[in-house]
PDB file of all heavy atoms in Angstrom:
ATOM      1  N   GLY A  82      -3.601   8.241 -15.788  1.00  0.00           N
ATOM      2  CA  GLY A  82      -3.130   9.219 -16.775  1.00  0.00           C
ATOM      3  C   GLY A  82      -1.713   8.948 -17.239  1.00  0.00           C
ATOM      4  O   GLY A  82      -0.961   9.867 -17.509  1.00  0.00           O
ATOM      5  N   THR A  83      -1.346   7.649 -17.330  1.00  0.00           N
ATOM      6  CA  THR A  83       0.020   7.295 -17.662  1.00  0.00           C
ATOM      7  C   THR A  83       0.116   6.453 -18.915  1.00  0.00           C
ATOM      8  O   THR A  83      -0.609   5.477 -19.071  1.00  0.00           O
ATOM      9  CB  THR A  83       0.660   6.511 -16.476  1.00  0.00           C
ATOM     10  OG1 THR A  83       0.532   7.278 -15.294  1.00  0.00           O
ATOM     11  CG2 THR A  83       2.128   6.224 -16.742  1.00  0.00           C
ATOM     12  N   LEU A  84       1.015   6.846 -19.802  1.00  0.00           N
ATOM     13  CA  LEU A  84       1.408   6.066 -20.979  1.00  0.00           C
ATOM     14  C   LEU A  84       2.862   5.682 -20.801  1.00  0.00           C
ATOM     15  O   LEU A  84       3.695   6.509 -20.437  1.00  0.00           O
ATOM     16  CB  LEU A  84       1.278   6.892 -22.251  1.00  0.00           C
ATOM     17  CG  LEU A  84      -0.133   7.335 -22.681  1.00  0.00           C
ATOM     18  CD1 LEU A  84      -0.047   8.501 -23.652  1.00  0.00           C
ATOM     19  CD2 LEU A  84      -0.847   6.173 -23.327  1.00  0.00           C
ATOM     20  N   ARG A  85       3.184   4.422 -21.069  1.00  0.00           N
ATOM     21  CA  ARG A  85       4.577   3.963 -21.008  1.00  0.00           C
ATOM     22  C   ARG A  85       4.922   3.406 -22.364  1.00  0.00           C
ATOM     23  O   ARG A  85       4.102   2.777 -23.024  1.00  0.00           O
ATOM     24  CB  ARG A  85       4.761   2.887 -19.949  1.00  0.00           C
ATOM     25  CG  ARG A  85       4.514   3.422 -18.538  1.00  0.00           C
ATOM     26  CD  ARG A  85       4.770   2.338 -17.499  1.00  0.00           C
ATOM     27  NE  ARG A  85       4.376   2.804 -16.184  1.00  0.00           N
ATOM     28  CZ  ARG A  85       5.121   3.566 -15.401  1.00  0.00           C
ATOM     29  NH1 ARG A  85       6.312   3.979 -15.812  1.00  0.00           N
ATOM     30  NH2 ARG A  85       4.664   3.948 -14.222  1.00  0.00           N
ATOM     31  N   GLY A  86       6.175   3.651 -22.766  1.00  0.00           N
ATOM     32  CA  GLY A  86       6.613   3.140 -24.050  1.00  0.00           C
ATOM     33  C   GLY A  86       8.135   3.116 -24.145  1.00  0.00           C
ATOM     34  O   GLY A  86       8.843   3.382 -23.179  1.00  0.00           O
ATOM     35  N   GLU A  87       8.599   2.821 -25.352  1.00  0.00           N
ATOM     36  CA  GLU A  87      10.028   2.765 -25.561  1.00  0.00           C
ATOM     37  C   GLU A  87      10.362   3.116 -27.007  1.00  0.00           C
ATOM     38  O   GLU A  87       9.562   2.972 -27.924  1.00  0.00           O
ATOM     39  CB  GLU A  87      10.571   1.381 -25.210  1.00  0.00           C
ATOM     40  CG  GLU A  87       9.840   0.250 -25.886  1.00  0.00           C
ATOM     41  CD  GLU A  87      10.189  -1.098 -25.294  1.00  0.00           C
ATOM     42  OE1 GLU A  87      10.389  -1.209 -24.071  1.00  0.00           O
ATOM     43  OE2 GLU A  87      10.227  -2.073 -26.075  1.00  0.00           O
ATOM     44  N   GLN A  88      11.562   3.597 -27.134  1.00  0.00           N
ATOM     45  CA  GLN A  88      12.156   3.872 -28.447  1.00  0.00           C
ATOM     46  C   GLN A  88      13.613   3.449 -28.341  1.00  0.00           C
ATOM     47  O   GLN A  88      14.411   4.093 -27.665  1.00  0.00           O
ATOM     48  CB  GLN A  88      12.044   5.347 -28.847  1.00  0.00           C
ATOM     49  CG  GLN A  88      12.601   5.597 -30.251  1.00  0.00           C
ATOM     50  CD  GLN A  88      12.912   7.051 -30.463  1.00  0.00           C
ATOM     51  OE1 GLN A  88      13.802   7.586 -29.834  1.00  0.00           O
ATOM     52  NE2 GLN A  88      12.154   7.663 -31.378  1.00  0.00           N
ATOM     53  N   GLY A  89      13.918   2.332 -28.960  1.00  0.00           N
ATOM     54  CA  GLY A  89      15.284   1.788 -28.794  1.00  0.00           C
ATOM     55  C   GLY A  89      15.552   1.482 -27.342  1.00  0.00           C
ATOM     56  O   GLY A  89      14.740   0.841 -26.662  1.00  0.00           O
ATOM     57  N   ALA A  90      16.670   1.990 -26.832  1.00  0.00           N
ATOM     58  CA  ALA A  90      17.043   1.754 -25.434  1.00  0.00           C
ATOM     59  C   ALA A  90      16.328   2.717 -24.488  1.00  0.00           C
ATOM     60  O   ALA A  90      16.372   2.532 -23.275  1.00  0.00           O
ATOM     61  CB  ALA A  90      18.550   1.913 -25.257  1.00  0.00           C
ATOM     62  N   SER A  91      15.670   3.722 -25.009  1.00  0.00           N
ATOM     63  CA  SER A  91      15.017   4.738 -24.172  1.00  0.00           C
ATOM     64  C   SER A  91      13.646   4.276 -23.687  1.00  0.00           C
ATOM     65  O   SER A  91      12.836   3.770 -24.482  1.00  0.00           O
ATOM     66  CB  SER A  91      14.861   6.053 -24.937  1.00  0.00           C
ATOM     67  OG  SER A  91      16.112   6.570 -25.276  1.00  0.00           O
ATOM     68  N   LYS A  92      13.388   4.466 -22.427  1.00  0.00           N
ATOM     69  CA  LYS A  92      12.082   4.209 -21.820  1.00  0.00           C
ATOM     70  C   LYS A  92      11.392   5.558 -21.667  1.00  0.00           C
ATOM     71  O   LYS A  92      11.987   6.541 -21.247  1.00  0.00           O
ATOM     72  CB  LYS A  92      12.217   3.557 -20.433  1.00  0.00           C
ATOM     73  CG  LYS A  92      13.042   2.292 -20.423  1.00  0.00           C
ATOM     74  CD  LYS A  92      12.316   1.198 -21.163  1.00  0.00           C
ATOM     75  CE  LYS A  92      13.151  -0.094 -21.063  1.00  0.00           C
ATOM     76  NZ  LYS A  92      12.862  -1.001 -22.134  1.00  0.00           N
ATOM     77  N   VAL A  93      10.113   5.586 -22.030  1.00  0.00           N
ATOM     78  CA  VAL A  93       9.336   6.827 -22.021  1.00  0.00           C
ATOM     79  C   VAL A  93       8.141   6.691 -21.106  1.00  0.00           C
ATOM     80  O   VAL A  93       7.451   5.659 -21.135  1.00  0.00           O
ATOM     81  CB  VAL A  93       8.867   7.184 -23.459  1.00  0.00           C
ATOM     82  CG1 VAL A  93       7.997   8.435 -23.454  1.00  0.00           C
ATOM     83  CG2 VAL A  93      10.061   7.358 -24.390  1.00  0.00           C
TER      84      VAL A  93
END
Side-chain angles (χ1 to χ4, degrees):
T83 305
L84 293 161
R85 296 182 187 278
E87 52 193 36
Q88 183 198 66
S91 297
K92 305 291 183 204
V93 176

